[in-house]
Amino acid sequence: MRLRRPLVALCTIAPLALAAAGCSDSSGGLVTGTDAAGRVSQSVSDPLQGKCSRFAARGVTSVTNNTGVDIVLHRTRDCTDLANQPGTYLGTTLSIVATSGQGPWRSFTTVGWPPPVPPNVPGARIN
């Protein structure tokens, strides 16, 4: 059986177009930081891949990562690490509370690439 060229081209291009539509530069979800008094000081919706996201200037001591990617928490506002004090790794859909002498965290970066669809969490939205 012989296939026509337009059909072959469509069958070749369609999967590529669908794969490209699933790609995104955001991690789909919400990162929430809470200060020592228990007040939500910042919520970052759909943080961008490869960009530094900042918390409030005073920093946060508790963070919940409701995104589809892991994050690294930093003590500086520019997502760098202090000497001999590496950032704190926080996996997707996990939370962390700073121990004495550990926080506050003032920024975070994403790790890896986002899934094509945000995780099923409150506040997540599909772009």
Side-chain angles (χ1 to χ4, degrees), residues 2-3 8 12 15 34 36 43 48 50 52 59 62 73 80 83 87 90 103 127:
R2 187 172 173 161
L3 295 175
V8 171
T12 303
T34 308
S43 291
L48 294 177
C52 182
S62 173
L73 302 167
T80 59
L90 182 60
N127 292 334

Side-chain angles (χ1 to χ4, degrees), residues 59-112:
V60 296
T61 56
S62 173
V63 178
T64 301
N65 178 11
N66 280 324
T67 67
V69 296
D70 299 344
I71 62 174
V72 176
L73 302 167
H74 304 280
R75 293 188 185 111
T76 61
R77 300 263 304 146
D78 63 354
C79 293
T80 59
D81 293 322
L82 303 171
N84 298 322
Q85 297 178 356
T88 303
Y89 188 89
L90 182 60
T92 183
T93 67
L94 297 177
S95 297
I96 190 169
V97 176
T99 59
S100 149
Q102 184 180 24
W105 297 293
R106 291 184 172 89
S107 63
F108 70 92
T109 53
T110 57
V111 178

